[in-house]
Amino acid sequence: DLMWGGCSPETVLVANLNILQVLLDRINHHHQQQPKSKTKIVINGILPRGPDDLRTSLVWKWIQWINARLECFAKSTKGGQLAYYYFNASDYFLNDNHTLVDPAKMDD
């Protein structure tokens, strides 16, 4: 965890990619047993955290770094029997200036 677990952004990214690999392995095994139509997996971006100004938040910079790479991964893996889609809901949880998490929408 970035905030309390002491994990680096790289560790969080690799952990997410490992989870996606496990899903891929299970889907491939299942498709060998019972071929089906295209499988779609949605990768949700990590949401903003904390009460701090996001313009100066190191954790927010890390989250954006991770999310950018997850989005890139999703875009690069289209085709075949599997498609990853990236979805980022961060904007919904931010104030109008996109500088703070809106506490009315997410009480962190």
Short mmCIF file of all heavy atoms in Angstrom, two decimals, residues 16-17 24-25 35 45 47 56 58 61 65-66 74 92 96 98:
data_model
loop_
_atom_site.label_atom_id
_atom_site.label_comp_id
_atom_site.label_asym_id
_atom_site.label_seq_id
_atom_site.Cartn_x
_atom_site.Cartn_y
_atom_site.Cartn_z
N ASN A 16 -0.09 -5.31 -9.31
CA ASN A 16 -1.28 -5.24 -10.17
C ASN A 16 -1.08 -6.03 -11.45
O ASN A 16 -1.98 -6.75 -11.89
CB ASN A 16 -1.62 -3.78 -10.49
CG ASN A 16 -2.42 -3.12 -9.41
OD1 ASN A 16 -3.64 -3.20 -9.40
ND2 ASN A 16 -1.75 -2.48 -8.47
N LEU A 17 0.08 -5.93 -12.05
CA LEU A 17 0.36 -6.68 -13.28
C LEU A 17 0.40 -8.18 -13.00
O LEU A 17 -0.05 -8.98 -13.84
CB LEU A 17 1.67 -6.20 -13.91
CG LEU A 17 1.64 -4.76 -14.44
CD1 LEU A 17 3.02 -4.35 -14.92
CD2 LEU A 17 0.60 -4.59 -15.54
N LEU A 24 -5.16 -13.80 -16.62
CA LEU A 24 -4.89 -14.24 -17.98
C LEU A 24 -4.65 -15.75 -18.03
O LEU A 24 -5.20 -16.44 -18.89
CB LEU A 24 -3.69 -13.49 -18.55
CG LEU A 24 -3.24 -13.91 -19.95
CD1 LEU A 24 -4.34 -13.69 -20.97
CD2 LEU A 24 -1.99 -13.14 -20.33
N ASP A 25 -3.85 -16.27 -17.10
CA ASP A 25 -3.57 -17.71 -17.07
C ASP A 25 -4.85 -18.52 -16.86
O ASP A 25 -5.07 -19.53 -17.53
CB ASP A 25 -2.57 -18.03 -15.96
CG ASP A 25 -1.17 -17.49 -16.25
OD1 ASP A 25 -0.89 -17.10 -17.42
OD2 ASP A 25 -0.36 -17.42 -15.29
N PRO A 35 -13.82 -23.01 -25.40
CA PRO A 35 -13.63 -21.75 -26.12
C PRO A 35 -14.91 -20.92 -26.11
O PRO A 35 -16.01 -21.43 -26.31
CB PRO A 35 -13.29 -22.21 -27.53
CG PRO A 35 -12.81 -23.61 -27.38
CD PRO A 35 -13.55 -24.18 -26.20
N GLY A 45 -8.40 2.33 -12.29
CA GLY A 45 -7.29 3.13 -11.80
C GLY A 45 -7.36 3.29 -10.28
O GLY A 45 -8.44 3.22 -9.69
N LEU A 47 -7.58 5.32 -7.00
CA LEU A 47 -8.23 6.60 -6.72
C LEU A 47 -7.33 7.51 -5.89
O LEU A 47 -6.46 7.03 -5.16
CB LEU A 47 -9.55 6.36 -5.98
CG LEU A 47 -10.59 5.58 -6.76
CD1 LEU A 47 -11.80 5.30 -5.88
CD2 LEU A 47 -11.01 6.34 -8.01
N THR A 56 0.86 19.03 -4.61
CA THR A 56 2.11 18.82 -3.88
C THR A 56 2.19 17.44 -3.23
O THR A 56 3.15 17.14 -2.53
CB THR A 56 2.28 19.88 -2.77
OG1 THR A 56 1.16 19.80 -1.87
CG2 THR A 56 2.37 21.27 -3.37
N LEU A 58 3.00 13.71 -2.91
CA LEU A 58 3.86 12.68 -3.51
C LEU A 58 3.06 11.42 -3.81
O LEU A 58 3.23 10.79 -4.86
CB LEU A 58 5.03 12.36 -2.58
CG LEU A 58 6.03 11.32 -3.09
CD1 LEU A 58 6.64 11.75 -4.41
CD2 LEU A 58 7.10 11.07 -2.04
N LYS A 61 1.21 11.82 -7.00
CA LYS A 61 2.13 11.68 -8.15
C LYS A 61 2.41 10.21 -8.43
O LYS A 61 2.45 9.78 -9.58
CB LYS A 61 3.41 12.44 -7.89
CG LYS A 61 3.25 13.95 -7.95
CD LYS A 61 4.55 14.66 -7.74
CE LYS A 61 4.48 16.15 -7.62
NZ LYS A 61 3.29 16.86 -7.88
N TRP A 65 1.40 8.00 -11.75
CA TRP A 65 2.45 7.24 -12.44
C TRP A 65 1.98 5.80 -12.65
O TRP A 65 2.10 5.26 -13.75
CB TRP A 65 3.74 7.28 -11.60
CG TRP A 65 4.90 6.59 -12.23
CD1 TRP A 65 5.81 7.12 -13.09
CD2 TRP A 65 5.29 5.22 -12.03
NE1 TRP A 65 6.74 6.17 -13.44
CE2 TRP A 65 6.44 5.00 -12.80
CE3 TRP A 65 4.78 4.18 -11.27
CZ2 TRP A 65 7.09 3.77 -12.84
CZ3 TRP A 65 5.42 2.95 -11.31
CH2 TRP A 65 6.56 2.76 -12.09
N ILE A 66 1.44 5.19 -11.60
CA ILE A 66 0.94 3.81 -11.70
C ILE A 66 -0.21 3.74 -12.69
O ILE A 66 -0.24 2.87 -13.57
CB ILE A 66 0.49 3.29 -10.32
CG1 ILE A 66 1.69 3.17 -9.37
CG2 ILE A 66 -0.23 1.94 -10.45
CD1 ILE A 66 1.31 3.02 -7.91
N ALA A 74 -3.23 -1.68 -20.66
CA ALA A 74 -4.54 -2.03 -21.20
C ALA A 74 -4.62 -1.74 -22.70
O ALA A 74 -5.13 -2.56 -23.46
CB ALA A 74 -5.64 -1.28 -20.44
N TYR A 92 -14.08 12.09 -10.71
CA TYR A 92 -15.35 12.14 -10.01
C TYR A 92 -15.16 12.50 -8.53
O TYR A 92 -16.02 13.10 -7.92
CB TYR A 92 -16.07 10.79 -10.13
CG TYR A 92 -17.34 10.74 -9.31
CD1 TYR A 92 -18.50 11.38 -9.76
CD2 TYR A 92 -17.38 10.09 -8.09
CE1 TYR A 92 -19.65 11.36 -9.00
CE2 TYR A 92 -18.53 10.06 -7.32
CZ TYR A 92 -19.66 10.69 -7.79
OH TYR A 92 -20.81 10.68 -7.04
N ASP A 96 -13.70 20.87 -7.89
CA ASP A 96 -13.79 21.48 -9.22
C ASP A 96 -12.43 21.88 -9.79
O ASP A 96 -12.24 21.90 -11.00
CB ASP A 96 -14.71 22.70 -9.18
CG ASP A 96 -16.17 22.31 -8.95
OD1 ASP A 96 -16.53 21.15 -9.22
OD2 ASP A 96 -16.94 23.17 -8.48
N HIS A 98 -9.67 20.25 -9.24
CA HIS A 98 -8.85 19.03 -9.32
C HIS A 98 -7.60 19.12 -8.45
O HIS A 98 -6.55 18.58 -8.79
CB HIS A 98 -8.47 18.72 -10.77
CG HIS A 98 -9.65 18.32 -11.58
ND1 HIS A 98 -9.85 17.06 -12.04
CD2 HIS A 98 -10.74 19.02 -11.99
CE1 HIS A 98 -10.97 16.98 -12.71
NE2 HIS A 98 -11.54 18.17 -12.69
#
